[in-house]
Amino acid sequence: MKFLQLSAFVVTVSAFGGSVVKTVNSDIATIAAAAPDFLTKHATIHEGDMSVLQAGSNGWSCIPFQPRGKQGDNWSSGHYAMPACLDKNGFAWVEAYMAGKTPKMDQASVWYMLHGDTGEDNTKPGVLDKTEAGDHWIESGPHLMWIPKQAENLDNFPTDFTKGEPYTMFKGSPFAHLMIPMPGYYDYQPASSPNTGSFEEPDTPHTSADWKIWAYSSAAPKELAMGATVVDGTTVLREGTNGWTCTAAQPRGEPEGGYESAHQAMPACFDSVGAQWMQGYMGGVVPEVDRATVVYMLHGDTGEDNTKPGVMSKEEAGDNWIESGPHIMWMPKQASDLDGFPTDFRKGEPYVMFKGSPYAHLMIPVDGYYDYQPSAAP
């Protein structure tokens, strides 16, 4: 979050989705790649001075946040440009950040930064010098950000960026937000990665422990997956070290001969709070959780009704049926925390599943989300 020092970047809510257009195709592609193309093809693409490179229609905007400016006529790389894609609530947060004021938002916001950033202090807003930041310096690869309505909502999340799990940046400040690592997060600062080495699908039967360990744990980025406990039903296949658990979440059970693919297994990776939510859901009671949490499902799922928990029949679900590709889930502390988010899974943006039930959660689509149901793509 370094755009505090973008002297040319002047934001007003009225500028969001502006109409002054100039066309620079290479910059459009670079900036838009901060989020999945099914979202950005209908988003407004801005240059750093807020001129509009592509007029959008879906209420989202993508903007380069590199405070050092371009190195020539075009951005030298997506990573250097540091683009982010955000909705109007995210824009309200930007305005407050740049003005040094406490953000006032109608609801929380999800940001996509799939190019990562060029580094900053994890504890102090505006510190862009690696020497000054010292051990707090992190140059991020691909990630998402959860921008809370109130910064204190993140007080119970960890702050250590070397564990591979979601962590709070700028904790204790009005600008605290959650960093959600995606695959490749440590590519620019490998020394901070908790796990390195090979993480390939083994050439073994899909009923084997080795294959299941890979299939279930690869629902999360490898740096988190390699340290997670892996469970198959009630059997622990591998004891972990980082407090996370990965397991098959397929309610239809394992077919004879094993799962055909990791997608069919519907694996999920979650922390101890995610386990609390899962226990409530499976027990048919209101989840009692210590805080909100993130669940990774990077292999997606085999489909269900978006409005009614437990409806696994495509015919019964009708137009509410969605078979998801890769996604992240945000499990709120209270289901009502998501009341302001949309519910339409056809727009490409984060949306609420099971709205109005105790099991409401936010689905955050990432690349490949519509691979299994392309007719639902925007």
Side-chain angles (χ1 to χ4, degrees):
M1 312 311 302
K2 309 84 179 160
F3 40 87
L4 198 75
Q5 301 185 20
L6 273 174
S7 59
F9 185 71
V10 180
V11 179
T12 63
V13 172
S14 62
F16 191 87
S19 58
V20 179
V21 179
K22 64 180 183 180
T23 302
V24 184
N25 289 336
S26 62
D27 280 351
I28 290 174
T30 296
I31 297 165
D37 61 359
F38 52 74
L39 181 62
T40 60
K41 68 182 179 181
H42 298 299
T44 298
I45 310 300
H46 292 273
E47 189 50 280
D49 60 3
M50 288 309 293
S51 57
V52 177
L53 304 178
Q54 170 186 293
S57 60
N58 65 1
W60 282 70
S61 282
C62 301
I63 310 157
F65 284 128
Q66 176 54 264
R68 302 164 184 88
K70 288 184 177 180
Q71 297 174 320
D73 292 336
N74 296 103
W75 293 105
S76 57
S77 70
H79 180 67
Y80 180 78
M82 289 174 37
C85 295
L86 53 147
D87 63 9
K88 65 179 181 180
N89 292 293
F91 242 76
W93 192 92
V94 172
E95 285 191 294
Y97 185 96
M98 293 184 64
K101 298 180 179 179
T102 299
K104 295 181 179 180
M105 301 164 59
D106 293 334
Q107 66 182 38
S109 178
V110 175
W111 291 28
Y112 291 85
M113 289 192 74
L114 299 183
H115 282 307
D117 61 59
T118 54
E120 64 187 314
D121 189 308
N122 188 55
T123 62
K124 298 177 183 177
V127 176
L128 306 179
D129 181 80
K130 188 174 183 178
T131 301
E132 182 181 352
D135 291 341
H136 299 302
W137 180 263
I138 177 63
E139 180 173 358
S140 302
H143 61 280
L144 308 179
M145 295 190 296
W146 176 263
I147 310 295
K149 188 175 179 181
Q150 289 93 25
E152 59 269 21
N153 290 350
L154 300 180
D155 283 352
N156 292 328
F157 279 87
T159 59
D160 189 345
F161 56 75
T162 67
K163 297 294 182 67
E165 63 186 337
Y167 66 92
T168 302
M169 177 172 275
F170 304 156
K171 183 176 181 178
S173 86
F175 310 113
H177 56 278
L178 196 72
M179 300 284 281
I180 305 175
M182 294 295 288
Y185 185 74
Y186 295 98
D187 286 357
Y188 302 95
Q189 193 167 314
S192 294
S193 174
N195 292 293
T196 58
S198 176
F199 190 59
E200 302 296 328
E201 180 176 2
D203 185 17
T204 59
H206 289 193
T207 54
S208 70
D210 285 346
W211 186 84
K212 289 181 176 181
I213 288 171
W214 170 83
Y216 301 174
S217 65
S218 57
K222 79 167 189 176
E223 292 83 4
L224 183 60
M226 292 175 72
T229 295
V230 181
V231 177
D232 184 32
T234 59
T235 302
V236 176
L237 301 179
R238 183 186 70 191
E239 291 283 359
T241 58
N242 62 10
W244 281 68
T245 300
C246 302
T247 190
Q250 176 57 267
R252 303 163 182 90
E254 182 178 356
E256 187 176 351
Y259 295 112
E260 292 182 1
S261 65
H263 175 69
Q264 189 184 28
M266 288 178 46
C269 294
F270 44 87
D271 63 6
S272 59
V273 181
Q276 294 173 340
W277 194 96
M278 296 286 187
Q279 288 167 2
Y281 180 79
M282 295 180 68
V285 299
V286 177
E288 295 185 5
V289 296
D290 296 333
R291 56 163 166 77
T293 190
V294 172
V295 176
Y296 286 92
M297 289 191 74
L298 297 183
H299 289 301
D301 60 58
T302 55
E304 62 189 310
D305 188 309
N306 188 55
T307 62
K308 299 176 182 177
V311 176
M312 302 291 167
S313 164
K314 189 173 183 179
E315 290 72 21
E316 183 179 351
D319 291 341
N320 295 318
W321 179 263
I322 178 64
E323 181 174 358
S324 302
H327 60 279
I328 310 298
M329 296 188 295
W330 176 263
M331 309 310 203
K333 193 171 191 295
Q334 294 94 22
S336 60
D337 291 346
L338 301 180
D339 284 351
F341 281 90
T343 59
D344 191 344
F345 55 77
R346 299 170 183 86
K347 298 293 182 65
E349 63 186 337
Y351 66 92
V352 179
M353 176 172 275
F354 305 155
K355 184 173 183 177
S357 85
Y359 312 113
H361 58 278
L362 196 71
M363 300 283 283
I364 306 175
V366 296
D367 287 321
Y369 186 73
Y370 294 100
D371 285 357
Y372 302 96
Q373 192 170 324
S375 62

